Amino acid sequence: EQLPKVFALHARAGYVHPLASDRDALGVGGTGDGILHPRARFYAGGMQSVRGFAENELGPTVLQARRASLLASGCTDVTISSGQCDPSAVPSDQLFTRPIGGSSLIEGSAEVRLPVLKALGAVLFVDGAYVGTGGISSPAHGKGAITPGVGIRYRSPPGVLPLPIGLRPACSQHLPVRRAVPHHTRTRPLVAPRQAKR
């Protein structure tokens, strides 16, 4: 039996707003807006989201630098702690990206599945998502992308095995650099953004 022709659509959207009491629950003192736990934030990218991006890679992102890299580039513990350290001298291969998620998400995809052989099918798709960091009244803060792609689907006895290839847009962007710290302390921002090609 040959695979049927299928046109599939997928969409999801969400918005989350922190409470002021979240600061106490996370052990962060002070006053101000609530803080969303990373597990409560929205992410996009991956096989079940926007193909062409790795898991959770599409969305607001920062660059992280290890303490040793900052010290080797001329910073001191004092300038790192005060946020006055300039990370521009840190080599690019010693910086790594880290998704921080967003508070809003709009995501969708359209896919056409065409039969090729008895258990083998071809797929044409377009995925897209936008992960925002502002509220409903300020949706312009965030990051999004549209990725077309192709792939194959093999219907095996355990289930359908997909092999998609998404084409991600090439661009450069300015990302803030943050110091990588142990989990029991807060990540401190550094002052100078770096430009990274994505």
Side-chain angles (χ1 to χ4, degrees):
E1 181 183 359
Q2 194 177 51
L3 295 172
K5 296 179 181 179
V6 176
F7 178 66
L9 295 173
H10 159 80
R12 68 173 180 145
Y15 171 73
V16 62
H17 180 73
L19 301 174
S21 58
D22 292 343
R23 300 180 71 91
D24 294 333
L26 293 173
V28 179
T31 60
D33 295 335
I35 300 175
L36 283 175
H37 192 280
R39 293 183 182 177
R41 302 176 73 87
F42 292 107
Y43 300 85
M47 284 289 294
Q48 303 299 321
S49 178
V50 179
R51 291 159 284 189
F53 285 84
E55 193 75 18
N56 298 338
E57 191 181 32
L58 173 58
T61 307
V62 297
L63 291 173
Q64 277 199 340
R66 294 183 172 87
R67 174 178 172 273
S69 299
L70 295 171
L71 294 176
S73 66
C75 293
T76 65
D77 285 325
V78 174
T79 58
I80 292 173
S81 298
S82 63
Q84 297 177 344
C85 170
D86 183 359
S88 59
V90 177
S92 297
D93 60 356
Q94 296 181 26
L95 296 171
F96 53 98
T97 59
R98 178 173 180 173
I100 58 175
S103 57
S104 60
L105 170 70
I106 299 175
E107 180 182 285
S109 67
E111 181 174 292
V112 178
R113 304 169 187 167
L114 303 172
V116 177
L117 298 174
K118 182 177 180 180
L120 186 68
V123 177
L124 304 174
F125 63 85
V126 176
D127 298 336
Y130 185 88
V131 184
T133 57
I136 296 177
S137 61
S138 57
H141 301 286
K143 182 183 175 184
I146 297 176
T147 61
V150 298
I152 59 174
R153 288 167 57 91
Y154 176 69
R155 187 169 60 180
S156 66
V160 177
L161 301 177
L163 181 61
I165 299 176
L167 304 176
R168 62 187 298 176
C171 63
S172 62
Q173 59 180 333
H174 288 278
L175 298 175
V177 180
R178 292 182 179 267
R179 171 190 168 198
V181 296
H183 70 280
H184 59 277
T185 59
R186 296 180 62 188
T187 301
R188 297 184 179 275
L190 303 177
V191 294
R194 286 287 294 270
Q195 187 176 38
K197 289 190 175 182
R198 300 294 305 281

